[in-house]
Structures are given as structure tokens and as C-alpha cells.
């Protein structure tokens, strides 16, 4: 029998619809896979103890003849930043250890309504601060391509779960690259939708003007299918767009069969290649562009002079917003409380935050409160907001000339665990190519462009489109994906050395 964990979500959905397999079988296969490999990978912080019951319920409804949504019965992993009523939600932090939410995040509620089967909650950098998942209070996740390397971050758990065939689909969140950069280093697909396209209700806030929830998958079509489930207007989120979105799965299908690359104007940013990109990453990027050009795409050099200030602006705006968002962890309302006998409420609060937050979170709270303080507001936060506007203008000018912008998703392939953990600046520089999209609110996708000739590790290509043009990313992404799959003779992940093709752990 085929190994069900190797099927894409679209393939699982059609086998479920035809009655060839049941959701219980699909779910059990993934739970077995988690049991076999997750001691090595550590993608999950919590595995659901009732996934099989949920699956059995879907099967019963299908057997009774109920018309079910397309993805009904397909398993899903959920980043721990998203609150769930039936599993703890910690956002990777000690301060929320064991926290049970009284409500589901909108994206979780919509996933349940679509019949997706939650498998568990995935590991992440604490409060989504990081690019390696090493800042999780619960220990790092490992990259399925090489267990000594990072799976990216902050959503390394979701990306690793999908790359290691522990889940066909996962939910992530992207504030500065946390969906796209993990996709890049694990050979998977990740989409950061237009700001406001997917509800943030129930996504534990990092920086509210930058955060977006999105899909983490192995194919562009699967990302479109999941985006169709979670997206759309939500009255619970005041920044949610009231927009009639097209089907992103249809856009992906159209891209895979159509001629979308012919005449497509692809912008390449003149200023980016100088920013210290690994040679194997640049080479893979150039090769992917050449493939697109051979299909009739036009590669246009564009200028985005302010992108290089994106990292600096982001690391003022994000800490400022985060310091305010994290003020609610005050020892009274949520999670951890460290008692101080005879102490004041301030003493309890201080002791709780001291014990409950890790170093990176403290660093950013201090930076953020400093940047927002009366004497420094204009010099730091105010200036960063001006840079944000300049970056938005760079995008406007670029999109007057091109349909999409392409970049390598991140400067290097997966680095080694421990390599950058003591050097925050090096960690922050990972986000140089992903941050501008969050600052401007535009959508971005990362999909595998190949393996780096330097080290044999996966490389991602990122496409960016104007706000609200998410469908264009699915069309273009699926078109390139189809070309590359043809060239490779199958998915890149089939070549991941650590993963054996059968259900076992290490090869
Ligand atoms: N690496 C970035 C950071 O540390 C991105 C985080 C994110 O997107 N959540 O802030």
C-alpha cells in the first residue's frame, strides 16, 4: 500500500473523496510517522490525543452521504502561536506553559469547519522572535535535511513537520519571514498573504502591523487549497480586508497548466545581490530565473534603494509593537505566576516576567520600550516609520514596471544549530529579503528553486506581488514549480538524505 504520508494534501483529498482511503487511515499514518521521527525532529510541542476521533467523525459523515469540503479528512499541523481550545497554546514561551485558550483562532475554527484534522501544535521561536527555532523555550526543532541544522524560524516546527512528512499541511505566521524563511531552508512552500487577507484573531500577537497567518505545504497547489480555507474577511479582526478573493487553488491549477510565464515581467532588485548571499543560493536563484526566461518571462532589473534599510527599520518597529503586545503577560491574566512572599504586585510581575521570558524576548522588550520612550521616539520609532513609507514607495514604483519581484528567500541555506544563537545581528540579517514585504503589507511566496551546489541543501525563491494580488503568486509559483519538478524528475524532498522513503526515521 502507498505510504499515505508521502501524498500531497490534494492527493489525499481526492483519495478521501473517492473512498479509496479513510481519514482515520490518513491520520493514523501521520501519527505513526510523528511517533517514528519526531524524537529526532522535534517539530511538535503537543500531539493531539483525539485526532483519530475527529477523523472517524469525518469518515462517518462521508459514509452517511454528507457533502464535505474539499480538504475534509486531511491532517493539519498548527503553529503554537495560534490559539486552540482543545490543545495548549504556548507561543513557544514558558510564560504560557499549559495555557488553554477559551476560544479558537479564526484560522483554526475555519480549518475545523473545513473538516481538516488537527494533529498537534508545532514548535516555534518564543513569541515568534527568531529565524532558527532555537529561541523556543522547549528546545530547538531540527532540519529534516540535516539534523545538525536549523529548520528556520520562527515557524521551524511547521516547516519541519511538513518537510519530514509528519503532516501534509501546516499553519504558520509571518511577521518578518517566519513562514517563508523556514520554507527556504527545508525545501517546502510557504505563503505570507497580503496584510489583512487572513484573520489574525487568535494569533498571539508579535507585531500587529506586520503579522500575517498563512499556509506551509509541500506544493503550491496545497498552499492555495489551505489559503482558500483560512482566508477571507473576519469581523473579529479590525484590519481584515473586506475583499472577494478568488480561489487560490484555482490560480495554482491554472499556473501549473497554463502559459502564465509568457510575457510575465519579473523584477530583480539591483541592490539585493550585494547583501552577502551565499554563492549556491545566488546560483540556484539565477538558474530558476533562466528557466522562466526560457518560457518567455522578461527579467527586468529594478531599483529598490530603501530595501537595505528594511532590517534596521523592522528591528525598531517590531520590538516597539512587541513590547506593547507582551505587556499583557503580567502574572495576573495569563499563564505563569511566580509568587514573591511579602512582595508587591510589581515584585510578582517582575519575577514572573524574569522567569517566564527568554533572552531574545527580553532583549526586544527592552529595545522596544527604549525606542518608544519620550526622548527617543522621533529618533528611533518615528524614523523607522518614515523608512517604512519609503519602502512602500519603492514597491509602488517597482510594481509600475513589473508583475512580480523575485529574490532568493534568504541569504544562506540552513546554518548549523548554535552557529548564530549568540549573535543577534547575524540572526536578524537572515530576514533581509523577507522583511520588506511585511513592512509594505504585500504578499510573498517561497518555493524550492533547487539544492545549493555549495552544500546540497535546499534553496527557496521568493516572489512578491502587489497587495491583494495573492492569486498572481499562486499562478507564477505553480508555473515555476511545474517546470522544476519536470527538471528534477520528482519532488526535491525525495532527495532529503535523513528521511528514508518508507515510514522509518533516519535512512
Ligand atoms: N526572524 C524574524 C524575527 O525574528 C521574523 C519573525 C517572524 O516572522 N515571526 O523577527
Amino acid at each position: 500500500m502507498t505510504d499515505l504520508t508521502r501524498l500531497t494534501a490534494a492527493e489525499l483529498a481526492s483519495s478521501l473523496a473517492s473512498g479509496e482511503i479513510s481519514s482515520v487511515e490518513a491520520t493514523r499514518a501521520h501519527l505513526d510517522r510523528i511517533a517514528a521521527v519526531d524524537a529526532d525532529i522535534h517539530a511538535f510541542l503537543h500531539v493531539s490525543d483525539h485526532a483519530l476521533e475527529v477523523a472517524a467523525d469525518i469518515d462517518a459523515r462521508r459514509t452517511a452521504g454528507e457533502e464535505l469540503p474539499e480538504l475534509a479528512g486531511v491532517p493539519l499541523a498548527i503553529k503554537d502561536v495560534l490559539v486552540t481550545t482543545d490543545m495548549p497554546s504556548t507561543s513557544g514561551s514558558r510564560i504560557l506553559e499549559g495555557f488553554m485558550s477559551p476560544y479558537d483562532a479564526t484560522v483554526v475554527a475555519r480549518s475545523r469547519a473545513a473538516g481538516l484534522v488537527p494533529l498537534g501544535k508545532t514548535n516555534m521561536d518564543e513569541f515568534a522572535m527568531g529565524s532558527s527555532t532555537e529561541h523556543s523555550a522547549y528546545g530547538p526543532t531540527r532540519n529534516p535535511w540535516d539534523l545538525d541544522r536549523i529548520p528556520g524560524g520562527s515557524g521551524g516546527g511547521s516547516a519541519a513537520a511538513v518537510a519530514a512528512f509528519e503532516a501534509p499541511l501546516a499553519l504558520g505566521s509571518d511577521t518578518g519571514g517566519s513562514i517563508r524563511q523556514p520554507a527556504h531552508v527545508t525545501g517546502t512552500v510557504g505563503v505570507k498573504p497580503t496584510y489583512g487577507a487572513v484573520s489574525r484573531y487568535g494569533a498571539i500577537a508579535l507585531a500587529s502591523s506586520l503579522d500575517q497567518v498563512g499556509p506551509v505545504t509541500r506544493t503550491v497547489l496545497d498552499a492555495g487549497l489551505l489559503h482558500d480555507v483560512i482566508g477571507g474577511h473576519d469581523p473579529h479582526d479590525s484590519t481584515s480586508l473586506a475583499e472577494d478573493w478568488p480561489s487560490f487553488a484555482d490560480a495554482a491549477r491554472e499556473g501549473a497548466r497554463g502559459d502564465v510565464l509568457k510575457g510575465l515581467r519579473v523584477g530583480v532588485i539591483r541592490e539585493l545581490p550585494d547583501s552577502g548571499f551565499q554563492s549556491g543560493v545566488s546560483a540556484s536563484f539565477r538558474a530558476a530565473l533562466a528557466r522562466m526566461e526560457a518560457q518567455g518571462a522578461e527579467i527586468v532589473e529594478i531599483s529598490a534603494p530603501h530595501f537595505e534599510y528594511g532590517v534596521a527599520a523592522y528591528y525598531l518597529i517590531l520590538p516597539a509593537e512587541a513590547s506593547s503586545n507582551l505587556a499583557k503577560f503580567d502574572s495576573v491574566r495569563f499563564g505563569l505566576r511566580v509568587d514573591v512572599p511579602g512582595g508587591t504586585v510589581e515584585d510578582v510581575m517582575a519575577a514572573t516576567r524574569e522567569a517566564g521570558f527568554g533572552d531574545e524576548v527580553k532583549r526586544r522588550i527592552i529595545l522596544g520600550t527604549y525606542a518608544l520612550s519620550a526622548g527617543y521616539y522621533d529618533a528611533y520609532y518615528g524614523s523607522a516609520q518614515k523608512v517604512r513609507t519609503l519602502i512602500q514607495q519603492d514597491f509602488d514604483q517597482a510594481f509600475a514596471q513589473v508583475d512580480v519581484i523575485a529574490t532568493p528567500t534568504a541569504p544562506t541555506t540552513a546554518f548549523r544549530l548554535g552557529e548564530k544563537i549568540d549573535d543577534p545581528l547575524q540572526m536578524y540579517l537572515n530576514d533581509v529579503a523577507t522583511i520588506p514585504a511585511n513592512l509594505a503589507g504585500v504578499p510573498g511566496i517561497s518555493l524550492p528553486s533547487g539544492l545549493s551546489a555549495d552544500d546540497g541543501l535546499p534553496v527557496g525563491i521568493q516572489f512578491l506581488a502587489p497587495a491583494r494580488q495573492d492569486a498572481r503568486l499562486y499562478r507564477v509559483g505553480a508555473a515555476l514549480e511545474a517546470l522544476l519538478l519536470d527538471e528534477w524528475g520528482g519532488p526535491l524532498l525525495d532527495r532529503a538524505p535523513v528521511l528514508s522513503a518508507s515510514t522509518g526515521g533516519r535512512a
Side-chain angles (χ1 to χ4, degrees):
M1 184 178 154
T2 27
D3 176 358
L4 298 182
T5 65
R6 291 269 158 177
L7 301 183
T8 66
E11 289 164 347
L12 284 169
S14 79
S15 297
L16 285 160
S18 69
E20 216 176 300
I21 62 167
S22 68
S23 177
V24 166
E25 285 166 337
T27 303
R28 184 172 288 132
H30 287 91
L31 291 171
D32 288 349
R33 176 75 181 165
I34 293 169
V37 304
D38 210 53
D40 284 338
I41 306 282
H42 193 225
F44 285 88
L45 292 177
H46 180 91
V47 178
S48 170
D49 55 15
H50 51 274
L52 287 172
E53 279 165 49
V54 176
D57 179 56
I58 297 287
D59 287 338
R61 286 163 58 191
R62 199 185 304 276
T63 310
E66 191 178 325
E67 188 86 45
L68 295 172
E70 185 165 358
L71 290 179
V74 175
L76 170 75
I78 300 171
K79 187 178 181 183
D80 208 31
V81 73
L82 299 165
V83 299
T84 46
T85 51
D86 59 341
M87 296 181 276
S89 305
T90 70
S91 209
S93 183
R94 276 284 166 230
I95 214 159
L96 280 175
E97 192 163 10
F99 172 70
M100 292 299 292
S101 168
Y103 68 99
D104 275 330
T106 295
V107 292
V108 172
R110 289 185 181 175
S111 298
R112 292 195 208 276
L116 285 157
V117 179
L119 290 171
K121 306 294 289 286
T122 58
N123 198 13
M124 54 184 284
D125 286 296
E126 185 175 4
F127 289 111
M129 298 178 186
S131 303
S132 69
T133 315
E134 293 168 290
H135 292 304
S136 168
Y138 303 99
T141 297
R142 290 166 185 275
N143 191 319
W145 287 80
D146 178 345
L147 297 177
D148 294 327
R149 292 182 188 263
I150 59 101
S154 66
S158 281
V162 167
F165 302 95
E166 296 173 86
L169 300 172
L171 292 172
S173 68
D174 190 313
T175 305
S178 286
I179 289 175
R180 289 163 288 158
Q181 182 260 6
H184 160 90
V185 295
T186 58
T188 56
V189 176
V191 176
K192 183 204 89 74
T194 294
Y195 184 78
V198 175
S199 171
R200 292 182 296 110
Y201 184 69
I204 297 171
L206 170 54
S208 309
S209 76
L210 302 163
D211 297 342
Q212 252 315 269
V213 177
V216 177
T217 61
R218 290 192 294 266
T219 68
V220 176
L221 172 58
D222 282 2
L225 286 164
L226 186 53
H227 192 161
D228 285 342
V229 167
I230 61 175
H233 183 250
D234 176 14
H236 292 307
D237 174 356
S238 63
T239 59
S240 169
L241 293 170
E243 183 97 0
D244 272 334
W245 298 95
S247 161
F248 301 115
D250 286 352
R253 289 188 180 106
E254 191 190 319
R257 51 164 197 269
D259 243 0
V260 301
L261 296 179
K262 191 163 291 163
L264 183 82
R265 293 166 306 163
V266 180
V268 176
I269 301 169
R270 185 180 308 138
E271 291 84 1
L272 258 195
D274 298 331
S275 314
F277 283 79
Q278 185 181 321
S279 67
V281 169
S282 298
S284 176
F285 175 63
R286 296 281 157 196
L289 290 182
R291 297 284 307 186
M292 295 176 77
E293 211 171 5
Q295 298 297 311
E298 192 191 331
I299 311 299
V300 182
E301 191 172 276
I302 54 162
S303 176
H306 303 98
F307 273 35
E308 63 174 304
Y309 305 110
V311 172
Y314 171 91
Y315 279 99
L316 287 168
I317 293 169
L318 177 138
E321 293 188 19
S323 68
S324 159
N325 276 325
L326 296 183
K328 64 178 165 287
F329 299 105
D330 58 1
S331 76
V332 178
R333 286 176 285 188
F334 304 94
L336 186 71
R337 175 179 308 167
V338 177
D339 282 321
V340 180
T344 64
V345 67
E346 280 82 13
D347 294 336
V348 173
M349 204 183 291
T352 300
R353 288 166 70 87
E354 166 61 23
F357 288 141
D359 288 349
E360 183 62 22
V361 174
K362 287 176 188 158
R363 177 156 40 232
R364 294 199 195 190
I365 290 174
I366 292 167
L367 199 62
T369 45
Y370 182 80
L372 288 176
S373 58
Y376 298 104
Y377 186 94
D378 288 335
Y380 295 117
Y381 186 74
S383 303
Q385 291 291 22
K386 288 179 189 156
V387 171
R388 186 173 190 171
T389 302
L390 292 172
I391 289 173
Q392 285 161 353
Q393 289 170 356
D394 280 358
F395 272 114
D396 289 345
Q397 276 159 21
F399 287 129
Q401 293 167 261
V402 296
D403 302 306
V404 292
I405 295 172
T407 74
T409 308
T412 71
T413 56
F415 46 91
R416 288 184 195 285
L417 286 153
E419 199 176 315
K420 300 192 179 176
I421 191 77
D422 296 323
D423 189 346
L425 190 60
Q426 279 310 312
M427 196 70 97
Y428 298 169
L429 288 172
N430 268 289
D431 309 329
V432 60
T434 45
I435 276 174
N438 302 79
L439 290 172
V442 305
I445 186 172
S446 178
L447 62 137
S449 62
L451 299 179
S452 162
D454 304 319
D455 50 22
L457 292 166
V459 177
I461 183 169
Q462 169 180 243
F463 294 106
L464 304 171
R468 297 180 160 84
Q469 301 303 321
D470 305 49
R472 192 180 296 168
L473 295 180
Y474 286 100
R475 274 195 293 273
V476 173
L480 176 62
E481 179 184 56
L483 285 177
L484 293 175
L485 281 176
D486 225 34
E487 182 179 317
W488 302 331
L492 205 59
L493 277 164
D494 285 354
R495 295 194 236 158
V498 181
L499 305 164
S500 70
S502 64
T503 48
R506 294 172 194 233

